[in-house]
Amino acid sequence: MLTADFGGIRFILAFSDEQALARYAVARGEAAREWRYQTILGARLLDVAVPAAGVPCGVALDCADGDEGMVFPPVCGIVPDEAALDFDADKDAGAQHER
């Protein structure tokens, strides 16, 4: 998988289709080289690949498309709690006991 680090967070670079990957290749000036495209469900990236990264990690979708691209940061509600930067296990455990 393609990744990029920004502000201490690793982002998996994901593309909605082969044309989005091609735009990324052109933006990098690397359109002439061969790029492999593999289809992976977005939920699998967020639920499996992000926690497996071992470092704070999110997903950047269609990053060469300016305002049309999206960023999924490693926060609660986007990635699993154990991979979220804003998750406090002690605070959450206390909240669960109060229910």
Side-chain angles (χ1 to χ4, degrees):
M1 283 188 251
L2 292 171
T3 62
D5 291 346
F6 182 76
I9 299 172
R10 178 157 300 152
F11 286 92
I12 297 169
L13 305 183
F15 304 95
S16 56
D17 54 32
E18 291 183 64
Q19 291 77 24
L21 175 58
R23 289 189 297 276
Y24 174 79
V26 168
R28 289 186 51 92
E30 298 182 33
R33 73 169 255 219
E34 183 177 339
W35 292 80
R36 289 184 52 200
Y37 184 81
Q38 182 178 4
T39 301
I40 301 172
L41 291 176
R44 187 157 176 85
L45 283 177
L46 293 169
D47 294 343
V48 178
V50 165
V55 297
C57 185
V59 175
L61 177 66
D62 296 339
C63 57
D65 291 347
D67 290 341
E68 298 297 316
M70 297 182 69
V71 176
F72 299 92
V75 296
C76 289
I78 305 270
V79 300
D81 287 347
E82 66 273 8
L85 293 178
D86 61 339
F87 179 69
D88 182 342
D90 294 330
K91 180 180 167 188
D92 187 61
Q96 287 181 1
H97 293 307
E98 295 172 9
R99 291 182 190 164

